[in-house]
Short mmCIF file of all heavy atoms in Angstrom, two decimals:
data_model
loop_
_atom_site.label_atom_id
_atom_site.label_comp_id
_atom_site.label_asym_id
_atom_site.label_seq_id
_atom_site.Cartn_x
_atom_site.Cartn_y
_atom_site.Cartn_z
N LEU O 91 -11.11 11.35 -16.72
CA LEU O 91 -11.91 10.83 -17.83
C LEU O 91 -11.09 10.89 -19.11
O LEU O 91 -10.37 11.86 -19.37
CB LEU O 91 -13.19 11.65 -18.01
CG LEU O 91 -14.07 11.86 -16.78
CD1 LEU O 91 -15.36 12.56 -17.17
CD2 LEU O 91 -14.37 10.55 -16.08
N TYR O 92 -11.21 9.85 -19.91
CA TYR O 92 -10.52 9.83 -21.19
C TYR O 92 -11.37 9.09 -22.22
O TYR O 92 -12.25 8.29 -21.87
CB TYR O 92 -9.14 9.20 -21.08
CG TYR O 92 -9.12 7.73 -20.68
CD1 TYR O 92 -8.96 6.72 -21.63
CD2 TYR O 92 -9.24 7.35 -19.34
CE1 TYR O 92 -8.93 5.38 -21.26
CE2 TYR O 92 -9.21 6.02 -18.97
CZ TYR O 92 -9.05 5.04 -19.93
OH TYR O 92 -9.03 3.72 -19.57
N VAL O 93 -11.13 9.38 -23.47
CA VAL O 93 -11.91 8.84 -24.58
C VAL O 93 -10.99 8.05 -25.49
O VAL O 93 -9.89 8.51 -25.83
CB VAL O 93 -12.60 9.97 -25.36
CG1 VAL O 93 -13.18 9.46 -26.67
CG2 VAL O 93 -13.69 10.61 -24.52
N LEU O 94 -11.43 6.87 -25.89
CA LEU O 94 -10.75 6.08 -26.91
C LEU O 94 -11.65 5.94 -28.12
O LEU O 94 -12.84 5.63 -27.98
CB LEU O 94 -10.40 4.68 -26.38
CG LEU O 94 -9.47 4.58 -25.18
CD1 LEU O 94 -9.13 3.12 -24.88
CD2 LEU O 94 -8.20 5.39 -25.38
N ALA O 95 -11.09 6.18 -29.28
CA ALA O 95 -11.77 5.94 -30.55
C ALA O 95 -11.10 4.74 -31.19
O ALA O 95 -9.96 4.82 -31.65
CB ALA O 95 -11.67 7.17 -31.45
N ASP O 96 -11.83 3.61 -31.19
CA ASP O 96 -11.25 2.31 -31.53
C ASP O 96 -11.81 1.82 -32.85
O ASP O 96 -13.02 1.74 -33.03
CB ASP O 96 -11.57 1.32 -30.40
CG ASP O 96 -10.89 -0.02 -30.57
OD1 ASP O 96 -10.07 -0.15 -31.49
OD2 ASP O 96 -11.19 -0.93 -29.78
N PHE O 97 -10.91 1.49 -33.76
CA PHE O 97 -11.31 0.91 -35.04
C PHE O 97 -11.04 -0.59 -35.07
O PHE O 97 -11.15 -1.23 -36.11
CB PHE O 97 -10.57 1.59 -36.19
CG PHE O 97 -10.95 3.04 -36.36
CD1 PHE O 97 -10.36 4.02 -35.59
CD2 PHE O 97 -11.91 3.41 -37.28
CE1 PHE O 97 -10.71 5.35 -35.72
CE2 PHE O 97 -12.27 4.75 -37.43
CZ PHE O 97 -11.67 5.72 -36.65
N GLY O 98 -10.70 -1.16 -33.90
CA GLY O 98 -10.33 -2.57 -33.84
C GLY O 98 -11.49 -3.51 -33.99
O GLY O 98 -11.33 -4.65 -34.41
N ARG O 99 -12.70 -3.05 -33.66
CA ARG O 99 -13.88 -3.91 -33.78
C ARG O 99 -14.58 -3.59 -35.09
O ARG O 99 -15.64 -2.98 -35.14
CB ARG O 99 -14.81 -3.68 -32.60
CG ARG O 99 -14.16 -3.98 -31.26
CD ARG O 99 -15.15 -3.72 -30.13
NE ARG O 99 -14.57 -3.99 -28.83
CZ ARG O 99 -13.95 -3.09 -28.08
NH1 ARG O 99 -13.82 -1.87 -28.54
NH2 ARG O 99 -13.46 -3.40 -26.91
N GLU O 100 -13.96 -4.00 -36.18
CA GLU O 100 -14.47 -3.68 -37.50
C GLU O 100 -15.63 -4.58 -37.90
O GLU O 100 -15.92 -5.59 -37.26
CB GLU O 100 -13.34 -3.78 -38.54
CG GLU O 100 -12.34 -2.64 -38.45
CD GLU O 100 -12.92 -1.29 -38.79
OE1 GLU O 100 -13.80 -1.22 -39.67
OE2 GLU O 100 -12.53 -0.31 -38.16
N ARG O 101 -16.30 -4.19 -38.98
CA ARG O 101 -17.43 -4.97 -39.49
C ARG O 101 -16.99 -6.36 -39.89
O ARG O 101 -15.84 -6.60 -40.26
CB ARG O 101 -18.04 -4.24 -40.68
CG ARG O 101 -18.72 -2.92 -40.31
CD ARG O 101 -19.30 -2.24 -41.53
NE ARG O 101 -18.25 -1.84 -42.46
CZ ARG O 101 -17.60 -0.69 -42.37
NH1 ARG O 101 -17.86 0.13 -41.38
NH2 ARG O 101 -16.68 -0.38 -43.25
N ARG O 102 -17.94 -7.30 -39.84
CA ARG O 102 -17.67 -8.69 -40.15
C ARG O 102 -17.02 -8.82 -41.53
O ARG O 102 -17.47 -8.23 -42.49
CB ARG O 102 -18.96 -9.49 -40.10
CG ARG O 102 -18.79 -10.98 -40.31
CD ARG O 102 -20.10 -11.71 -40.20
NE ARG O 102 -20.69 -11.51 -38.88
CZ ARG O 102 -21.90 -11.95 -38.55
NH1 ARG O 102 -22.65 -12.58 -39.44
NH2 ARG O 102 -22.37 -11.73 -37.33
N GLY O 103 -15.98 -9.61 -41.59
CA GLY O 103 -15.30 -9.85 -42.86
C GLY O 103 -14.17 -8.90 -43.13
O GLY O 103 -13.36 -9.14 -44.03
N ALA O 104 -14.06 -7.80 -42.38
CA ALA O 104 -12.98 -6.84 -42.60
C ALA O 104 -11.82 -7.14 -41.66
O ALA O 104 -11.99 -7.72 -40.60
CB ALA O 104 -13.48 -5.41 -42.36
N ALA O 105 -10.61 -6.74 -42.09
CA ALA O 105 -9.44 -6.96 -41.27
C ALA O 105 -9.51 -6.09 -40.01
O ALA O 105 -10.02 -4.97 -40.05
CB ALA O 105 -8.18 -6.63 -42.05
N ARG O 106 -9.01 -6.62 -38.91
CA ARG O 106 -8.99 -5.86 -37.67
C ARG O 106 -8.01 -4.71 -37.79
O ARG O 106 -6.86 -4.88 -38.16
CB ARG O 106 -8.59 -6.75 -36.50
CG ARG O 106 -8.66 -6.01 -35.16
CD ARG O 106 -7.97 -6.75 -34.04
NE ARG O 106 -8.17 -6.06 -32.78
CZ ARG O 106 -7.50 -4.97 -32.39
NH1 ARG O 106 -6.57 -4.47 -33.17
NH2 ARG O 106 -7.76 -4.40 -31.21
N SER O 107 -8.48 -3.51 -37.48
CA SER O 107 -7.61 -2.34 -37.56
C SER O 107 -6.88 -2.14 -36.25
O SER O 107 -7.48 -2.26 -35.17
CB SER O 107 -8.43 -1.09 -37.87
OG SER O 107 -7.63 0.07 -37.75
N PRO O 108 -5.59 -1.82 -36.30
CA PRO O 108 -4.85 -1.53 -35.07
C PRO O 108 -4.94 -0.05 -34.66
O PRO O 108 -4.17 0.39 -33.82
CB PRO O 108 -3.43 -1.91 -35.44
CG PRO O 108 -3.34 -1.60 -36.89
CD PRO O 108 -4.70 -1.86 -37.46
N VAL O 109 -5.85 0.69 -35.25
CA VAL O 109 -5.93 2.13 -34.98
C VAL O 109 -6.79 2.37 -33.74
O VAL O 109 -7.96 2.01 -33.70
CB VAL O 109 -6.51 2.89 -36.18
CG1 VAL O 109 -6.75 4.36 -35.81
CG2 VAL O 109 -5.58 2.78 -37.38
N THR O 110 -6.17 2.97 -32.72
CA THR O 110 -6.89 3.48 -31.56
C THR O 110 -6.36 4.88 -31.28
O THR O 110 -5.16 5.07 -31.10
CB THR O 110 -6.68 2.59 -30.32
OG1 THR O 110 -7.23 1.30 -30.56
CG2 THR O 110 -7.38 3.19 -29.10
N LEU O 111 -7.27 5.86 -31.29
CA LEU O 111 -6.91 7.23 -30.98
C LEU O 111 -7.47 7.58 -29.61
O LEU O 111 -8.40 6.93 -29.12
CB LEU O 111 -7.46 8.18 -32.05
CG LEU O 111 -6.95 7.93 -33.47
CD1 LEU O 111 -7.61 8.88 -34.45
CD2 LEU O 111 -5.43 8.06 -33.53
N ALA O 112 -6.90 8.59 -28.98
CA ALA O 112 -7.26 8.90 -27.59
C ALA O 112 -7.26 10.40 -27.35
O ALA O 112 -6.63 11.17 -28.07
CB ALA O 112 -6.27 8.23 -26.63
N ALA O 113 -7.99 10.80 -26.31
CA ALA O 113 -7.96 12.17 -25.82
C ALA O 113 -8.32 12.17 -24.35
O ALA O 113 -9.16 11.37 -23.91
CB ALA O 113 -8.94 13.05 -26.60
N VAL O 114 -7.67 13.05 -23.60
CA VAL O 114 -7.98 13.22 -22.18
C VAL O 114 -9.07 14.27 -22.06
O VAL O 114 -8.94 15.38 -22.58
CB VAL O 114 -6.73 13.64 -21.39
CG1 VAL O 114 -7.09 13.91 -19.93
CG2 VAL O 114 -5.66 12.56 -21.48
N LEU O 115 -10.16 13.90 -21.38
CA LEU O 115 -11.28 14.83 -21.24
C LEU O 115 -11.16 15.66 -19.98
O LEU O 115 -11.51 16.83 -19.96
CB LEU O 115 -12.60 14.04 -21.23
CG LEU O 115 -13.89 14.87 -21.25
CD1 LEU O 115 -13.95 15.77 -22.47
CD2 LEU O 115 -15.11 13.95 -21.21
N SER O 116 -10.68 15.07 -18.88
CA SER O 116 -10.54 15.82 -17.63
C SER O 116 -9.19 16.50 -17.59
O SER O 116 -8.34 16.32 -18.44
CB SER O 116 -10.69 14.87 -16.44
OG SER O 116 -9.68 13.89 -16.49
N GLY O 117 -9.01 17.29 -16.54
CA GLY O 117 -7.74 17.99 -16.38
C GLY O 117 -7.79 19.41 -16.90
O GLY O 117 -6.91 20.20 -16.66
N ALA O 118 -8.83 19.73 -17.64
CA ALA O 118 -9.07 21.09 -18.12
C ALA O 118 -10.56 21.21 -18.38
O ALA O 118 -11.28 20.22 -18.40
CB ALA O 118 -8.26 21.38 -19.40
N ALA O 119 -11.05 22.42 -18.58
CA ALA O 119 -12.46 22.60 -18.87
C ALA O 119 -12.82 21.83 -20.13
O ALA O 119 -12.14 21.92 -21.15
CB ALA O 119 -12.76 24.09 -19.04
N ALA O 120 -13.89 21.04 -20.06
CA ALA O 120 -14.28 20.23 -21.22
C ALA O 120 -14.67 21.13 -22.37
O ALA O 120 -15.45 22.07 -22.21
CB ALA O 120 -15.43 19.31 -20.84
N PRO O 121 -14.16 20.88 -23.57
CA PRO O 121 -14.53 21.70 -24.73
C PRO O 121 -15.95 21.39 -25.16
O PRO O 121 -16.50 20.32 -24.88
CB PRO O 121 -13.51 21.28 -25.79
CG PRO O 121 -13.18 19.87 -25.44
CD PRO O 121 -13.23 19.80 -23.94
N SER O 122 -16.59 22.33 -25.86
CA SER O 122 -17.94 22.08 -26.36
C SER O 122 -17.94 20.92 -27.35
O SER O 122 -18.91 20.17 -27.44
CB SER O 122 -18.51 23.35 -27.00
OG SER O 122 -17.65 23.79 -28.05
N GLU O 123 -16.86 20.81 -28.11
CA GLU O 123 -16.70 19.67 -29.01
C GLU O 123 -15.29 19.11 -28.82
O GLU O 123 -14.31 19.80 -29.01
CB GLU O 123 -16.90 20.08 -30.48
CG GLU O 123 -16.77 18.89 -31.43
CD GLU O 123 -17.07 19.26 -32.88
OE1 GLU O 123 -16.19 19.84 -33.54
OE2 GLU O 123 -18.19 18.96 -33.33
N LEU O 124 -15.24 17.84 -28.43
CA LEU O 124 -13.97 17.17 -28.18
C LEU O 124 -13.39 16.66 -29.49
O LEU O 124 -14.09 15.98 -30.26
CB LEU O 124 -14.18 16.01 -27.22
CG LEU O 124 -12.97 15.13 -26.93
CD1 LEU O 124 -11.98 15.88 -26.05
CD2 LEU O 124 -13.40 13.83 -26.25
N VAL O 125 -12.14 16.98 -29.75
CA VAL O 125 -11.46 16.46 -30.94
C VAL O 125 -10.55 15.31 -30.52
O VAL O 125 -9.77 15.45 -29.57
CB VAL O 125 -10.63 17.56 -31.64
CG1 VAL O 125 -9.85 16.98 -32.81
CG2 VAL O 125 -11.54 18.68 -32.12
N VAL O 126 -10.68 14.19 -31.23
CA VAL O 126 -9.82 13.04 -31.00
C VAL O 126 -9.03 12.81 -32.28
O VAL O 126 -9.61 12.49 -33.32
CB VAL O 126 -10.64 11.78 -30.64
CG1 VAL O 126 -9.71 10.62 -30.28
CG2 VAL O 126 -11.60 12.06 -29.49
N ASN O 127 -7.73 13.02 -32.24
CA ASN O 127 -6.91 12.83 -33.43
C ASN O 127 -5.52 12.35 -33.02
O ASN O 127 -5.27 11.98 -31.87
CB ASN O 127 -6.85 14.12 -34.28
CG ASN O 127 -6.11 15.26 -33.61
OD1 ASN O 127 -5.58 15.14 -32.49
ND2 ASN O 127 -6.05 16.40 -34.28
N GLU O 128 -4.58 12.37 -33.96
CA GLU O 128 -3.24 11.87 -33.67
C GLU O 128 -2.51 12.74 -32.64
O GLU O 128 -1.76 12.24 -31.80
CB GLU O 128 -2.41 11.79 -34.95
CG GLU O 128 -2.88 10.72 -35.93
CD GLU O 128 -3.82 11.27 -36.99
OE1 GLU O 128 -4.37 12.38 -36.78
OE2 GLU O 128 -4.02 10.60 -38.02
N ARG O 129 -2.72 14.06 -32.70
CA ARG O 129 -2.05 14.94 -31.73
C ARG O 129 -2.56 14.67 -30.31
O ARG O 129 -1.77 14.58 -29.37
CB ARG O 129 -2.29 16.41 -32.09
CG ARG O 129 -1.35 16.98 -33.16
CD ARG O 129 -1.48 18.48 -33.12
NE ARG O 129 -0.68 19.15 -34.13
CZ ARG O 129 -1.18 19.87 -35.14
NH1 ARG O 129 -2.50 19.98 -35.27
NH2 ARG O 129 -0.39 20.47 -36.00
N THR O 130 -3.88 14.58 -30.15
CA THR O 130 -4.40 14.33 -28.80
C THR O 130 -3.98 12.94 -28.31
O THR O 130 -3.84 12.73 -27.10
CB THR O 130 -5.93 14.45 -28.77
OG1 THR O 130 -6.53 13.43 -29.60
CG2 THR O 130 -6.39 15.83 -29.24
N THR O 131 -3.75 12.02 -29.24
CA THR O 131 -3.29 10.68 -28.86
C THR O 131 -1.86 10.73 -28.35
O THR O 131 -1.52 10.09 -27.34
CB THR O 131 -3.40 9.73 -30.05
OG1 THR O 131 -4.74 9.73 -30.54
CG2 THR O 131 -3.00 8.31 -29.67
N VAL O 132 -1.00 11.48 -29.03
CA VAL O 132 0.38 11.65 -28.56
C VAL O 132 0.38 12.28 -27.18
O VAL O 132 1.10 11.84 -26.27
CB VAL O 132 1.18 12.50 -29.56
CG1 VAL O 132 2.55 12.87 -28.97
CG2 VAL O 132 1.36 11.76 -30.88
N ALA O 133 -0.44 13.31 -26.98
CA ALA O 133 -0.50 13.98 -25.68
C ALA O 133 -0.94 13.03 -24.58
O ALA O 133 -0.35 12.99 -23.50
CB ALA O 133 -1.44 15.18 -25.76
N ALA O 134 -1.99 12.25 -24.84
CA ALA O 134 -2.48 11.30 -23.84
C ALA O 134 -1.46 10.21 -23.57
O ALA O 134 -1.23 9.81 -22.42
CB ALA O 134 -3.80 10.70 -24.31
N ALA O 135 -0.82 9.71 -24.63
CA ALA O 135 0.13 8.61 -24.48
C ALA O 135 1.33 9.03 -23.63
O ALA O 135 1.78 8.27 -22.75
CB ALA O 135 0.60 8.13 -25.85
N TYR O 136 1.87 10.22 -23.86
CA TYR O 136 3.04 10.66 -23.11
C TYR O 136 2.66 11.07 -21.68
O TYR O 136 3.32 10.66 -20.71
CB TYR O 136 3.74 11.81 -23.83
CG TYR O 136 4.80 11.32 -24.79
CD1 TYR O 136 4.45 10.76 -26.01
CD2 TYR O 136 6.15 11.39 -24.47
CE1 TYR O 136 5.42 10.28 -26.89
CE2 TYR O 136 7.13 10.93 -25.33
CZ TYR O 136 6.76 10.37 -26.55
OH TYR O 136 7.72 9.90 -27.40
N ALA O 137 1.62 11.87 -21.54
CA ALA O 137 1.26 12.34 -20.20
C ALA O 137 0.84 11.19 -19.30
O ALA O 137 1.16 11.17 -18.10
CB ALA O 137 0.13 13.36 -20.30
N LEU O 138 0.13 10.20 -19.86
CA LEU O 138 -0.38 9.07 -19.07
C LEU O 138 0.47 7.82 -19.27
O LEU O 138 0.02 6.72 -18.94
CB LEU O 138 -1.82 8.78 -19.46
CG LEU O 138 -2.84 9.89 -19.16
CD1 LEU O 138 -4.19 9.55 -19.77
CD2 LEU O 138 -2.97 10.12 -17.66
N ALA O 139 1.67 7.98 -19.77
CA ALA O 139 2.50 6.82 -20.12
C ALA O 139 2.69 5.87 -18.95
O ALA O 139 2.70 4.65 -19.12
CB ALA O 139 3.87 7.28 -20.65
N ARG O 140 2.84 6.41 -17.76
CA ARG O 140 3.14 5.58 -16.59
C ARG O 140 1.90 5.04 -15.90
O ARG O 140 2.00 4.38 -14.87
CB ARG O 140 3.99 6.38 -15.61
CG ARG O 140 5.31 6.84 -16.21
CD ARG O 140 6.20 5.67 -16.55
NE ARG O 140 7.27 6.02 -17.47
CZ ARG O 140 8.34 5.26 -17.69
NH1 ARG O 140 8.46 4.11 -17.04
NH2 ARG O 140 9.26 5.63 -18.55
N PHE O 141 0.74 5.32 -16.47
CA PHE O 141 -0.52 4.84 -15.90
C PHE O 141 -1.34 4.02 -16.89
O PHE O 141 -2.45 3.61 -16.57
CB PHE O 141 -1.35 6.04 -15.42
CG PHE O 141 -0.61 6.92 -14.45
CD1 PHE O 141 0.05 8.06 -14.90
CD2 PHE O 141 -0.54 6.59 -13.11
CE1 PHE O 141 0.75 8.87 -14.01
CE2 PHE O 141 0.16 7.39 -12.22
CZ PHE O 141 0.81 8.53 -12.67
N THR O 142 -0.80 3.80 -18.07
CA THR O 142 -1.53 3.13 -19.14
C THR O 142 -0.99 1.73 -19.34
O THR O 142 0.21 1.54 -19.56
CB THR O 142 -1.42 3.92 -20.46
OG1 THR O 142 -1.91 5.24 -20.25
CG2 THR O 142 -2.23 3.26 -21.56
N GLY O 143 -1.86 0.74 -19.26
CA GLY O 143 -1.48 -0.65 -19.47
C GLY O 143 -2.51 -1.36 -20.31
O GLY O 143 -3.44 -0.74 -20.84
#
Side-chain angles (χ1 to χ4, degrees):
L91 308 186
Y92 64 99
V93 169
L94 299 185
D96 186 7
F97 294 83
R99 300 180 180 91
E100 287 294 325
R101 292 179 295 274
R102 184 178 300 174
R106 184 193 185 282
S107 171
V109 173
T110 297
L111 300 177
V114 176
L115 187 58
S116 61
S122 57
E123 181 175 79
L124 176 72
V125 176
V126 185
N127 67 2
E128 292 94 343
R129 278 195 183 116
T130 64
T131 304
V132 171
Y136 270 76
L138 296 172
R140 300 295 163 165
F141 305 96
T142 303

